[in-house]
Amino acid sequence: MRIDLAACHRLAERFGLNEGIDNHLTAMLPGRDDRFLLAPFGMHWSEVKASDFLVVDFDGRVLQGQGPVEDTALYIHQPVHRLSPQGRCVLHTHMPYATALTMLENPCLEMAVQSALGFHEDVAYDPAYNGLALDFSEGERLARALGDKSVLMMGNHGVLVVGRSIPQAFERLYFLERAAQAQVLALSTGRPLRLIARPVIEKTVAQFAAGATVGGRDRAELHFDALKRVLDRTPSDYAS
Ligand SMILES: [Zn+2]
């Protein structure tokens, strides 16, 4: 899990989903419901290694590792891990294209491109930007807004993406940004979007579900394994 979470940081940086040294990618420890892995604050995502992670409990105490816990890491991620059963892995980013959508009066990810259809009825929207999350109540509000979805578009702020595993959460994060990018590029032409008809959406969503595994393996895991091989082929110490 440490290796996967380190790879998740490296890959998010490689795809331009990071912002400075801000934002956090966290995962609950296997078999535990009260502690999670978090990179020490101050590290760039391109340098995070498997051995760097802190084990942090729900009171923000560091049980393993060395380095500071940044406030919003605790106040956003702890409530989402605690309150969202689907939130074993919680990724919060300010990735540019999805964040651009959160700035719009209508922030909807439109069903206008195939990659967006994977998010049909799986995106929650929180229009209430409240400043920095500096107490648990703001994270709890975000967790409630997320509900049982895997994506929360955080108004005027960024995104929260959760998954039952690190590969599944990263898959959502990656394709959300790709779909948002396509939408922003399409809108930038100034021409109206052509939305996909509801019956085609429903048929395609069913096709996605039927193809979720290939050769007995989860598509998200196959993708994540391929991306880790990309990391392995470049000088990289993420697994150390
Ligand atoms: Zn943020």
Side-chain angles (χ1 to χ4, degrees):
M1 179 161 280
R2 283 173 172 271
I3 290 172
D4 279 0
L5 195 57
C8 192
H9 284 73
R10 299 287 181 109
L11 293 165
E13 189 273 340
R14 181 178 279 240
F15 292 123
L17 312 181
N18 61 314
E19 182 160 80
I21 54 168
D22 296 334
N23 302 161
H24 306 285
L25 313 176
T26 60
M28 295 276 269
L29 282 194
R32 301 289 310 218
D33 290 321
D34 58 355
R35 54 194 63 178
F36 59 95
L37 293 175
L38 167 72
F41 187 65
M43 296 192 80
H44 196 261
W45 288 3
S46 65
E47 63 180 347
V48 171
K49 301 191 299 295
S51 54
D52 287 324
F53 291 110
L54 311 174
V55 175
V56 180
D57 74 9
F58 277 3
D59 294 319
R61 285 186 296 250
V62 175
L63 305 177
Q64 254 183 58
Q66 288 207 321
V69 175
E70 200 263 331
D71 281 347
T72 64
L74 185 63
Y75 294 131
I76 293 177
H77 290 246
Q78 185 262 43
V80 179
H81 279 308
R82 179 162 50 86
L83 299 173
S84 305
Q86 76 278 33
R88 296 300 296 183
C89 177
V90 175
L91 312 177
H92 169 54
T93 79
H94 301 164
M95 55 191 190
Y97 289 97
T99 300
L101 292 186
T102 74
M103 297 162 59
L104 303 176
E105 280 292 344
N106 172 4
C108 283
L109 183 70
E110 301 291 359
M111 297 297 114
V113 65
Q114 178 174 287
S115 54
L117 302 187
F119 296 92
H120 181 58
E121 294 183 343
D122 193 31
V123 180
Y125 295 89
D126 171 34
Y129 178 67
N130 252 341
L132 299 181
L134 295 179
D135 57 58
F136 285 125
S137 67
E138 175 63 3
E140 288 165 1
R141 193 186 68 75
L142 293 168
R144 281 194 301 275
L146 173 69
D148 62 357
K149 312 292 192 204
S150 73
V151 174
L152 178 66
M153 301 289 274
M154 304 160 73
N156 307 100
H157 180 176
V159 301
L160 196 62
V161 176
V162 304
R164 293 192 181 277
S165 68
I166 293 168
Q168 285 175 7
F170 188 81
E171 180 90 338
R172 303 302 277 162
L173 188 78
Y174 173 86
F175 280 106
L176 175 65
E177 181 68 348
R178 294 288 297 183
Q181 181 178 19
Q183 181 172 326
V184 169
L185 289 174
L187 290 172
S188 73
T189 65
R191 301 186 206 169
L193 292 178
R194 183 172 61 200
L195 300 178
I196 299 169
R198 181 92 192 182
V200 179
I201 294 173
E202 287 170 0
K203 176 183 144 193
T204 312
V205 168
Q207 289 172 324
F208 278 143
T213 59
V214 180
R217 291 208 59 207
D218 186 272
R219 200 177 271 272
E221 287 175 12
L222 289 168
H223 183 201
F224 201 71
D225 284 353
L227 292 172
K228 281 196 292 188
R229 290 195 298 274
V230 172
L231 290 180
D232 289 336
R233 280 198 299 275
T234 51
S236 183
D237 56 357
Y238 74 93
S240 61

